Amino acid sequence: MSQKLFVSADEVAKRAGVSRSAVSRAFTPGASVSASTRQKVVQAAEELGYHVNHLARGLMRNESGIVCLIVSDVATPYRSALLRELTQQLQLAGKVAMLVNTDRSDGSVDRALQQAIRYRADASIIMSGLPDKSIAQLCLRSGQRLVLINRDDDQPGPLRINLDDTEAAQRVVTAFVRAGCRRLAFANSDAGTPSLMARETGFVAAAKAQGLDVTVERYGLTGYESGKVLAQRLLTKSERPDAVFCATDLLACGFMDAARHQFSISVPESLSIVGFDDIEQASWSSYELTTFAQPVMAIASEAVQWLSAEPSGDPDQTSKRLHAEFVWRGSVRAG
Amino acid sequence: MSQKLFVSADEVAKRAGVSRSAVSRAFTPGASVSASTRQKVVQAAEELGYHVNHLARGLMRNESGIVCLIVSDVATPYRSALLRELTQQLQLAGKVAMLVNTDRSDGSVDRALQQAIRYRADASIIMSGLPDKSIAQLCLRSGQRLVLINRDDDQPGPLRINLDDTEAAQRVVTAFVRAGCRRLAFANSDAGTPSLMARETGFVAAAKAQGLDVTVERYGLTGYESGKVLAQRLLTKSERPDAVFCATDLLACGFMDAARHQFSISVPESLSIVGFDDIEQASWSSYELTTFAQPVMAIASEAVQWLSAEPSGDPDQTSKRLHAEFVWRGSVRAG
DNA sequence: TTGTAAGCGTTATCAA
DNA sequence: TTGATAACGCTTACAA
């Protein structure tokens, strides 16, 4: 069935009465073509419905213009918000996003990278999922650039974008203490990713500095349901906490709902809650969750800028630490 | 800086002591290669770190393996859930997803299609955004297949996947009437997309058949904030509705929150609410929203199956009508 | 089953 | 500024 489907530069050249290299140049920004030649070519292309074949162009240039986005749990509010930003900015930079879903585990990140390599993606951005250590090497070896968002890999080469999780955790302790809370808790998933752990240890340490103990509980993934389970566990303890920092907003929403509807605890009067991410739902009237905003735009632009820039061997530039703004809403008791 | 980065089939051939076509065949499913040859090739490839160049393969085969996903508002719960499913099933079918974000309007869908064509995508799936009429033609002309999800385009050629919106709307009327509600309202966005309008007109018609009038209000996009505005408008009317069908869950959540927190109306006791989509938040304890489930898995598999099948000129098969299951939760008063 | 050789649609190089 | 020509890395007749 594969008949003659696409128009090639040859045909455009013929119609415009120029050589095929002229056609190529007409579509290459900054090439030396006379205005009249370009004019003729563009018109002929228009009439014929010609579109530069990026497969062939990528083959020649050794640069496909493709950036591979590797992600698990895309449907999660924070992930999808980041994805939105990333695709948008990538497009603005003239690149195109190839999305690889790694929900089905089984070395899926590796397979994803393989895919990226097969299509000669210029770069990969890992938004989630735990990459194998050998991956950075694989990318390096194939000349691919790599961006790691919120996951720590100490290998040199990739750009690592992280947040100031520890400082954020400190601010939460301060806020809780000001609100007069004394029985602190931390609700975490047991995924154990670096940023999640940084929030936890930062919180525990800052509390300790204030002479306060923290009850830590970990369970499941970072979703709403886990938040409910964590509430179940923490709110049935003999010394019930009066303030809880949840590692993500999703956990916080689940926690808050369980506290209110299952335990009839009023938030924030008897229980202060802080989350992390500032997903859209955090601002909904049912939650009014105090949280930290993931700087998705800044994350995306750091990534895209780095990818668009000429590779420089400067190792200082391969790590960015961005600030997560504290967003005050109503889920922390007024001091 | 573009040095020799990738290993080519030539080098693998040399190392394995075979011809380069043998290498090609070793990586082509179903090609005729002896086990021993394949063995040698695979081993050499492994050692050298060879990966088939899909750019070149696509060029030859006239089939890139790329499917273009065209979407606006990716960060929205329903969209991102559909995206998750689509990417997953596409991957399972051996295809790869190219994501094009059309949030910035200005003929962005057209530009997106252009992009798809440049990369010689085998197909495009339009998840949202209003395509220009000429687009189907453009796709057809370039041999690309097209899937339209929840948007009606009466041109032949593309696969159109829709839901039984009208039937769903009828069920809502039945449910409301059974619950003893008499003052019906419909809260819609003013986007005016076909599926949204089908729900509205279906609801109004079914109500009329029961001898009931419907107050219809339209505003903004299909988001949470619009739901609040719609509540403001509908709940301040002299004859306050006692049942409202919202065109999407996001609208419903906003509506419910406004009803409860701004108007102190208890749901479902004094106001029954039904949404559409069954986004994750619909099941959260704060909402317990009765709604219709978008059959995202079925949608995705219909799309992927159709794309994987041989093109058949059968026009009957180019339209699929899927069922949206009614999900009973607590936002409709018990009869 | 295997190798040879001809293409696929570009861009880069080099004269003109 | 232009046009011929040689790559790019692959697949696929065709012949052996």
Side-chain angles (χ1 to χ4, degrees), chain A residues 11 29 42 81 144 158 166 168 215 234 290:
Chain A
E11 306 174 51
V42 168
Q144 218 182 82
T166 312
T215 313
L234 282 167
T290 294

Side-chain angles (χ1 to χ4, degrees), chain A:
Chain A
M1 282 278 97
S2 50
Q3 304 173 8
K4 186 69 182 49
L5 290 171
F6 288 93
V7 181
S8 76
D10 254 337
E11 306 174 51
V12 177
K14 219 154 273 167
R15 178 162 192 125
V18 296
S19 73
R20 59 165 153 266
S21 10
V23 177
S24 174
R25 281 191 273 261
F27 288 102
T28 304
S32 77
V33 212
S34 70
S36 74
T37 304
R38 157 170 279 129
Q39 159 73 17
K40 278 186 290 183
V41 171
V42 168
Q43 185 178 329
E46 197 90 9
E47 290 166 6
L48 260 36
Y50 168 76
H51 301 266
V52 178
N53 186 333
H54 273 50
L55 263 34
R57 169 179 280 186
L59 193 54
M60 261 310 291
R61 288 212 185 141
N62 222 348
E63 178 182 306
S64 61
I66 296 173
V67 173
C68 188
L69 266 31
I70 298 176
V71 56
S72 64
D73 301 316
V74 227
T76 257
Y78 155 62
R79 293 284 160 64
S80 56
L82 180 56
L83 181 67
R84 188 217 309 128
E85 225 49 56
L86 238 18
T87 49
Q88 192 142 290
Q89 297 205 28
L90 242 19
Q91 280 171 216
L92 250 36
K95 306 192 180 305
V96 83
M98 178 165 275
L99 187 59
V100 175
N101 183 326
T102 60
D103 284 351
R104 322 199 146 220
S105 42
D106 282 350
S108 60
V109 180
D110 298 42
R111 273 216 315 278
L113 255 313
Q114 295 258 349
Q115 196 71 295
I117 290 176
R118 279 200 277 267
Y119 279 96
R120 299 300 188 258
D122 301 331
S124 287
I125 300 181
I126 300 192
M127 296 168 58
S128 51
L130 299 158
D132 192 270
K133 272 95 195 271
S134 66
I135 275 181
Q137 274 195 324
L138 187 65
C139 284
L140 209 79
R141 205 166 134 187
S142 45
Q144 218 182 82
R145 316 186 69 176
L146 189 61
V147 178
L148 265 28
I149 296 177
N150 276 339
R151 53 208 53 259
D152 238 12
D153 186 319
D154 44 3
Q155 309 215 26
L159 169 65
R160 305 188 300 281
I161 301 179
N162 288 284
L163 302 186
D164 53 351
D165 295 291
T166 312
E167 290 80 351
Q170 284 169 359
R171 292 205 56 176
V172 179
V173 171
T174 310
F176 282 163
V177 169
R178 276 214 191 115
C181 303
R182 311 295 303 167
R183 300 185 304 281
L184 272 40
F186 189 87
N188 205 353
S189 104
D190 65 6
T193 64
S195 51
L196 258 26
M197 291 313 290
R199 288 166 208 167
E200 179 184 311
T201 55
F203 187 70
V204 172
K208 192 165 190 177
Q210 300 276 333
L212 294 171
D213 259 359
V214 175
T215 313
V216 174
E217 199 72 48
R218 299 192 200 118
Y219 174 81
L221 303 173
T222 59
Y224 176 87
E225 287 304 329
S226 299
K228 286 191 137 181
V229 173
L230 286 161
Q232 207 85 29
R233 293 195 183 167
L234 282 167
L235 299 178
T236 48
K237 291 209 189 295
S238 52
E239 273 274 280
R240 195 164 79 187
D242 57 2
V244 56
F245 181 22
C246 298
T248 70
D249 281 359
L250 243 23
L251 288 175
C253 287
F255 200 105
M256 193 186 290
D257 274 348
R260 282 178 174 156
H261 305 125
Q262 282 172 237
F263 294 89
S264 303
I265 296 173
S266 51
V267 178
E269 293 77 9
S270 325
L271 175 67
S272 291
I273 302 181
V274 171
F276 201 106
D277 286 345
D278 194 25
I279 62 177
E280 204 210 308
Q281 289 74 25
S283 71
W284 289 7
S285 314
S286 289
Y287 301 99
E288 292 287 4
L289 183 66
T290 294
T291 185
F292 291 88
Q294 285 268 5
V296 282
M297 294 222 250
I299 294 175
S301 70
E302 284 293 346
V304 174
Q305 262 174 44
W306 187 76
L307 292 180
S308 306
E310 275 304 297
S312 79
D314 189 356
D316 277 6
Q317 297 287 6
T318 60
S319 185
K320 287 279 179 184
R321 188 162 218 83
L322 300 179
H323 177 60
E325 197 83 34
F326 202 14
V327 181
W328 270 104
R329 292 207 184 89
S331 64
V332 172
R333 183 163 62 159

Side-chain angles (χ1 to χ4, degrees), chain B residues 19 21-22 25 32-34 37 59-60:
Chain B
S19 73
S21 25
R25 283 191 270 259
S32 78
V33 212
S34 70
T37 304
L59 194 54
M60 260 312 291

Side-chain angles (χ1 to χ4, degrees), chain B residues 78 150 163-165 168-169 172 199 245-250 252 274-279 289-295 324:
Chain B
Y78 155 61
N150 276 340
L163 302 186
D164 53 351
D165 296 292
V172 180
R199 289 166 208 166
F245 180 23
C246 298
T248 71
D249 281 359
L250 243 24
V274 171
F276 201 106
D277 283 347
D278 194 26
I279 62 178
L289 183 67
T290 294
T291 184
F292 290 88
Q294 284 268 4

Side-chain angles (χ1 to χ4, degrees), chain B:
Chain B
M1 280 282 99
S2 51
Q3 303 172 9
K4 187 69 181 51
L5 289 171
F6 287 93
V7 181
S8 75
D10 254 337
E11 307 173 51
V12 177
K14 220 154 272 167
R15 177 162 192 128
V18 297
S19 73
R20 60 155 153 264
S21 25
V23 178
S24 175
R25 283 191 270 259
F27 288 102
T28 303
S32 78
V33 212
S34 70
S36 74
T37 304
R38 156 171 280 131
Q39 159 73 18
K40 278 188 288 183
V41 171
V42 168
Q43 186 176 330
E46 196 91 8
E47 290 165 6
L48 259 34
Y50 169 76
H51 301 266
V52 178
N53 186 333
H54 273 51
L55 263 34
R57 168 177 282 187
L59 194 54
M60 260 312 291
R61 288 213 185 141
N62 224 346
E63 177 181 307
S64 62
I66 296 173
V67 173
C68 190
L69 265 30
I70 298 175
V71 56
S72 63
D73 301 315
V74 226
T76 258
Y78 155 61
R79 294 283 160 64
S80 57
L82 180 54
L83 181 67
R84 189 217 307 128
E85 226 49 57
L86 238 17
T87 50
Q88 193 143 290
Q89 297 204 28
L90 242 19
Q91 281 170 218
L92 250 37
K95 306 193 180 301
V96 82
M98 178 165 276
L99 186 60
V100 176
N101 182 326
T102 59
D103 284 352
R104 319 199 150 224
S105 43
D106 283 350
S108 60
V109 179
D110 298 42
R111 275 216 313 280
L113 257 311
Q114 295 258 348
Q115 195 72 294
I117 290 176
R118 280 200 277 268
Y119 279 96
R120 298 300 188 259
D122 300 333
S124 288
I125 300 180
I126 300 193
M127 296 168 58
S128 51
L130 299 158
D132 190 272
K133 272 92 194 274
S134 66
I135 274 182
Q137 274 196 325
L138 187 65
C139 284
L140 209 78
R141 204 167 135 186
S142 45
Q144 220 183 79
R145 315 186 71 175
L146 189 61
V147 178
L148 266 28
I149 298 178
N150 276 340
R151 55 208 52 261
D152 238 12
D153 186 320
D154 44 3
Q155 310 215 25
L159 169 65
R160 305 187 301 279
I161 301 179
N162 288 283
L163 302 186
D164 53 351
D165 296 292
T166 311
E167 291 78 351
Q170 284 169 358
R171 292 204 57 175
V172 180
V173 171
T174 309
F176 282 163
V177 168
R178 277 217 190 112
C181 302
R182 310 296 303 169
R183 299 185 304 281
L184 272 36
F186 189 86
N188 205 351
S189 105
D190 64 6
T193 64
S195 51
L196 259 27
M197 291 313 291
R199 289 166 208 166
E200 180 185 309
T201 54
F203 187 70
V204 172
K208 191 165 190 178
Q210 300 278 330
L212 294 171
D213 259 358
V214 175
T215 313
V216 174
E217 199 73 46
R218 299 190 199 120
Y219 173 81
L221 304 173
T222 58
Y224 176 87
E225 288 304 330
S226 299
K228 287 190 135 181
V229 172
L230 287 161
Q232 207 84 30
R233 294 196 182 166
L234 283 167
L235 299 179
T236 48
K237 294 212 188 292
S238 53
E239 274 275 281
R240 194 162 81 187
D242 58 3
V244 56
F245 180 23
C246 298
T248 71
D249 281 359
L250 243 24
L251 289 174
C253 287
F255 199 104
M256 192 186 291
D257 274 348
R260 282 177 173 155
H261 305 126
Q262 284 172 234
F263 294 89
S264 304
I265 297 173
S266 52
V267 178
E269 292 76 9
S270 325
L271 176 67
S272 291
I273 302 181
V274 171
F276 201 106
D277 283 347
D278 194 26
I279 62 178
E280 205 210 308
Q281 289 74 29
S283 71
W284 289 7
S285 315
S286 289
Y287 301 99
E288 293 287 4
L289 183 67
T290 294
T291 184
F292 290 88
Q294 284 268 4
V296 282
M297 295 222 251
I299 294 175
S301 71
E302 284 292 347
V304 174
Q305 263 175 43
W306 187 75
L307 293 181
S308 307
E310 274 305 298
S312 79
D314 190 355
D316 277 5
Q317 297 286 3
T318 61
S319 185
K320 286 280 178 183
R321 186 161 220 84
L322 300 179
H323 178 58
E325 196 83 32
F326 202 14
V327 181
W328 270 103
R329 293 208 183 88
S331 64
V332 172
R333 186 163 60 159

